[in-house]
């Protein structure tokens, strides 16, 4: 399977996994808008979010809510969600700790100023979110 998210689900590509259950997976975005930016995906390969069946949609959004609650540990001003799917054709929801009202836009992506945290920085965030 050439889908990078399916490869993360199967374990053939490593990821900083924050949460996993039978039907969903949450992991750190390695080019976050802000530290703690999490991607939530259903384990079934469905390219477009709106095509998820209702049961998987509900399970995915339940994981999104868990991750949003989890991210309050990082004390963001707000938590934002984004679904746009331009990058990977496997339904996913960005759950982003927000420090500024403009963070959830693609401003950083457009300007090329997405963060590039080190392995150590990602592991430190992961530790905060999984303990
Ligand atoms: Zn996939």
């Amino acid at each position: 399977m050439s889908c990078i998210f399916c490869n993360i689900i199967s374990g053939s590509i490593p990821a900083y996994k924050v949460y996993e259950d039978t039907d969903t997976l949450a992991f750190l975005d390695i080019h976050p808008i802000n530290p703690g930016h999490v991607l939530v995906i259903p384990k079934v390969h469905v390219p477009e979010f709106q095509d998820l069946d209702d049961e998987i949609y509900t399970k995915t959004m339940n994981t999104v809510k868990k991750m949003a609650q989890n991210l309050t540990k990082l004390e963001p001003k707000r938590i934002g969600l984004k679904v746009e799917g331009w990058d990977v054709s496997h339904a996913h929801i960005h759950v982003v700790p927000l420090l500024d009202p403009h963070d959830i836009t693609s401003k950083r992506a457009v300007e090329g100023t997405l963060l590039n945290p080190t392995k150590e920085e990602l592991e430190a965030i992961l530790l905060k979110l999984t303990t």
Side-chain angles (χ1 to χ4, degrees):
M1 173 75 69
S2 61
C3 171
I4 188 169
F5 288 172
C6 286
N7 285 326
I8 286 172
I9 292 163
S10 74
S12 59
I13 291 179
Y16 296 92
K17 294 181 182 178
V18 178
Y19 174 83
E20 182 169 17
D21 61 29
T22 309
D23 299 296
T24 68
L25 177 65
F27 54 95
L28 295 178
D29 191 317
I30 61 168
H31 298 294
I33 290 171
N34 283 321
H37 178 169
V38 169
L39 298 175
V40 175
I41 60 174
K43 288 187 174 176
V44 61
H45 181 88
V46 173
E48 300 285 344
F49 179 76
Q50 66 273 18
D51 294 332
L52 293 172
D53 74 37
D54 288 352
E55 183 186 352
I56 295 297
Y57 168 85
T58 300
K59 288 178 175 177
T60 301
M61 292 311 286
N62 285 342
T63 299
V64 167
K65 183 179 177 183
K66 278 190 182 85
M67 292 305 98
Q69 289 170 335
N70 197 3
L71 287 176
T72 63
K73 292 177 186 172
L74 304 179
E75 301 182 348
K77 290 184 179 169
R78 292 284 188 273
I79 305 224
L81 306 180
K82 191 167 82 153
V83 179
E84 36 82 359
W86 295 109
D87 41 5
V88 177
S89 185
H90 179 129
H92 59 285
I93 298 93
H94 298 260
V95 188
V96 186
L98 302 178
L99 307 174
D100 177 282
H102 301 291
D103 283 350
I104 200 64
T105 67
S106 292
K107 182 170 175 274
R108 284 194 164 159
V110 169
E111 295 175 353
T113 56
L114 287 168
L115 303 177
N116 284 299
T118 63
K119 185 173 182 283
E120 289 74 23
E121 289 168 329
L122 287 166
E123 286 170 349
I125 290 288
L126 186 65
L127 188 63
K128 284 184 186 175
L129 296 179
T130 55
T131 54

